[in-house]
Amino acid sequence: MKGAIVDLSREAAPRETTVDYLVIGSGCGGATAARELARAGKEVLVLEEGGDFTGGALTMRDGMYDQLYMERGGRATVDLSITVLQGRALGGGGVINASDVVPIGPGVLRHWQTQYGLSELTPEALAPYEKLALEDLSANTPRDDQINTNNALLRDGARALNLRGEVMLHNRRGCVGFGKCLVGCPVDAKRNPRFVAVPDAVAAGARFFLRARAMRIDRGNDELKTVEVRTLDEKGYHEQGELRVRARTVILAANAVASAELLLRSGLGNAHVGRNLSLQPQLPIVAFFDREVQLFRGIPQSYAVTEFEQLDHPEHGLWGFRIEGIGGTAGIMASLLPKLGHEGKALMKTLPRMAASLLLVPDAGNGRVSLGRPGRPRIEYAMPEEQKQRYRDAIRAAARIYLAAGAREVIVPLARPISIRSAADLALVDGASFEPATAPFLSAHQQGSVRMAPSPARGAADPGGQVYGTRGIYVLDSSGFPTSASSHTMTPILTMSRYLTARILAR
């Protein structure tokens, strides 16, 4: 069959269609699986709720959050404590991430083997699939002249304190430094699924239906499953039609929230579905300098302080914390700062001299997905005191780094902001309680809501990704990860999708 990308807000789809494989989600997991299946001669259909945005359609303005993110960038936990950022576009999260390439560490895989019984997931077994994932991404190290002032200041401070750090691999080719990666790249420099796996899948015969929202999977134990699909209008605001897709195999790759939500809405899987959700919340911190920084120019994230990161924690695998430079549009920066009105306007006037980082703190699967109204899942998350203490430790470390780099003030943007001008002020961090909705936490790396395990008593999917209690329904996104795979999930998802798709084809 001839491959195609079909926007169902503009073109009519057949009321019913039957395929070998139905893939739900077109990001790193879904597009990668679709390509490998299509290349193997299978009939493949991919459903994507979002639209297709490339080149000049990506305006670099804050209005793009409306089209590129789930719930227009407003998805959050039920207590509004954590903003949950998830892509909604052809190509998935790779369209709107900061292009960081961080594979699964061997210590994490060994942890999954020993603590979660995934004995086959050895570093050696995944190595060839990781290699292919890095090739898909054209992974490379940013040149020194591509490290902008914002990231360079973080590096300078870390070096002054003799702290370990690294220039992270990324998946850009031809970057011109617009700095608006979080709302897509208008020069198509990201080697993400939209420009690698999607065109390869289409060339091999796969079809992609855009503005197509999967609502429910029926007959999950039958050879032929039926998926109810609603079509959306051009902006993705309203449902306007419906169709049914029958498939022998259904692959869920809609992200760690939506994949679990669809299983719950369909009454499929066991009691583990939706549980053990890792949000890996990130806390922003800003520093003010007497020099120009212009964090909104150049590559947003290129340098990470890794001194405090643990890659083989005996109980949790990935643990500790990590500090990374970050930049974004004026709108997203304003939304994270602790001032409003005239005070907020005055603070934003200092944006050219502001530096910013994110404090990345892995968690222990403290969240849960349950059912809300269609398109609006319920996300609950409880932060234990131990995790809060690691945020306090991360704040102190980042503040020391910025002061060592010459900052005149470091601000922790809480509801009651903490101002740090010298080492004597670090004690103020002890008072940060992180009560609900008092800190601008962000989540961009959700994992674990359909955890893989060797038995249904321990998880929601088997080691091959098949959901327990179903026949031929698999999870190939970060839902299946038992714990945080990495500080950035793009490469782990690509790697695991290639590995699990190969296992599916071998069956």
Side-chain angles (χ1 to χ4, degrees):
M1 177 175 288
K2 185 178 179 181
I5 298 173
V6 182
D7 186 335
L8 298 187
S9 71
R10 297 182 175 130
E11 300 181 46
R15 292 298 300 272
E16 291 194 4
T17 186
T18 301
V19 294
D20 296 328
Y21 289 83
L22 176 66
V23 180
I24 300 173
S26 70
C28 294
T32 300
R35 174 185 58 189
E36 300 309 303
L37 293 167
R39 283 177 168 174
K42 309 301 182 182
E43 186 179 19
V44 181
L45 174 62
V46 182
L47 303 179
E48 169 55 54
E49 187 173 318
D52 186 15
F53 298 91
T54 61
L58 296 163
T59 65
M60 297 190 289
R61 296 181 180 275
D62 286 295
M64 291 306 303
Y65 282 93
D66 175 271
Q67 289 299 299
L68 298 177
Y69 286 75
M70 297 296 274
E71 298 184 44
R72 309 182 191 183
R75 176 166 284 182
T77 53
V78 292
D79 62 0
L80 303 182
S81 291
I82 304 170
T83 299
V84 181
L85 300 174
Q86 297 174 316
R88 188 177 81 148
L90 182 62
V95 175
I96 45 88
N97 66 11
S99 298
D100 301 300
V101 174
V102 186
I104 309 174
V108 171
L109 292 175
R110 287 191 290 270
H111 178 69
W112 290 359
Q113 290 178 273
T114 58
Q115 298 296 317
Y116 293 93
L118 299 177
S119 58
E120 296 179 25
L121 286 181
T122 65
E124 294 75 21
L126 281 190
Y129 302 99
E130 180 183 289
K131 180 176 183 292
L132 292 169
L134 295 175
E135 291 175 358
D136 279 346
L137 295 166
S138 299
N140 66 98
T141 304
R143 304 185 310 270
D144 194 64
D145 64 293
Q146 290 180 305
I147 299 173
N148 67 4
T149 303
N150 184 50
N151 284 269
L153 286 168
L154 185 66
R155 180 179 61 182
D156 292 347
R159 287 177 174 175
L161 298 177
N162 197 30
L163 300 176
R164 184 175 68 249
E166 66 180 14
V167 177
M168 293 182 286
L169 294 173
H170 69 161
N171 65 312
R172 299 177 183 86
R173 289 288 186 186
C175 175
V176 297
F178 282 140
K180 305 300 189 295
C181 303
L182 302 186
V183 285
C185 179
V187 296
D188 299 336
K190 295 183 183 183
R191 298 297 293 164
N192 60 36
R194 175 60 187 87
F195 299 107
V196 182
V198 170
D200 287 350
V202 171
R207 291 177 294 161
F208 289 75
F209 283 179
L210 310 185
R211 298 300 186 195
R213 174 182 290 161
M215 297 299 296
R216 181 180 174 86
I217 304 170
D218 290 320
R219 303 181 182 276
N221 290 302
D222 291 358
E223 180 179 356
L224 202 61
K225 274 66 70 178
T226 300
V227 179
E228 177 188 341
V229 182
R230 303 278 174 81
T231 62
L232 307 177
D233 63 14
E234 187 176 0
K235 294 289 187 179
Y237 297 158
H238 307 290
E239 296 174 356
Q240 63 180 17
E242 60 182 46
L243 63 133
R244 288 182 180 179
V245 180
R246 302 186 191 278
R248 290 174 176 80
T249 302
V250 176
I251 291 175
L252 301 180
N255 69 50
V257 172
S259 290
E261 180 195 12
L262 182 57
L263 287 172
L264 291 169
R265 199 172 297 286
S266 305
L268 297 173
N270 61 23
H272 291 282
V273 173
R275 297 179 181 272
N276 308 305
L277 174 68
S278 167
L279 291 184
Q280 202 182 95
Q282 306 167 28
L283 180 68
I285 188 169
V286 296
F288 297 89
F289 288 81
D290 291 326
R291 57 174 292 185
E292 290 279 309
V293 178
Q294 295 189 336
L295 60 80
F296 42 82
R297 301 291 186 200
I299 294 174
Q301 284 181 303
S302 56
Y303 187 79
V305 179
T306 59
E307 176 74 21
F308 310 97
E309 185 177 49
Q310 296 172 267
L311 301 177
D312 54 1
H313 189 279
E315 183 180 355
H316 299 291
L318 180 67
W319 210 240
F321 62 86
R322 179 181 175 106
I323 305 168
E324 297 181 357
I326 190 61
T329 62
I332 190 67
M333 293 304 299
S335 73
L336 299 175
L337 294 176
K339 299 292 184 180
L340 300 172
H342 293 298
E343 288 183 318
K345 182 177 180 180
L347 186 59
M348 284 301 291
K349 286 183 177 180
T350 68
L351 183 62
R353 299 188 301 279
M354 187 188 302
S357 287
L358 287 174
L359 312 180
L360 282 70
V361 176
D363 58 2
N366 311 321
R368 182 178 180 180
V369 179
S370 57
L371 293 180
R373 61 186 178 86
R376 298 289 294 274
R378 181 179 175 86
I379 306 171
E380 299 172 82
Y381 190 85
M383 187 178 294
E385 178 57 33
E386 185 281 335
Q387 188 176 344
K388 293 178 181 179
Q389 185 57 46
R390 279 186 290 139
Y391 282 111
R392 297 184 193 105
D393 294 341
I395 290 169
R396 280 189 283 265
R400 289 191 185 100
I401 289 168
Y402 278 128
L403 292 174
R408 58 178 174 79
E409 182 182 24
V410 179
I411 294 289
V412 187
L414 308 178
R416 293 182 178 179
I418 297 174
S419 172
I420 301 169
R421 294 178 179 269
S422 69
D425 295 326
L426 292 173
L428 297 172
V429 178
D430 294 337
S433 63
F434 304 115
E435 293 301 311
T438 63
F441 285 113
L442 304 170
S443 169
H445 311 130
Q446 306 88 27
Q447 302 163 78
S449 57
V450 194
R451 176 184 282 177
M452 291 192 299
S455 74
R458 300 180 63 183
D462 71 20
Q466 184 166 228
V467 177
Y468 283 120
T470 73
R471 178 182 179 185
I473 299 178
Y474 297 84
V475 286
L476 265 64
D477 56 16
S478 58
S479 303
F481 297 172
T483 65
S484 287
S486 170
S487 58
H488 296 272
T489 51
M490 174 170 62
T491 310
I493 294 171
L494 279 165
T495 301
M496 289 299 294
S497 180
R498 276 186 168 275
Y499 169 78
L500 292 173
T501 303
R503 289 189 59 160
I504 290 170
L505 286 169
R507 289 185 178 185

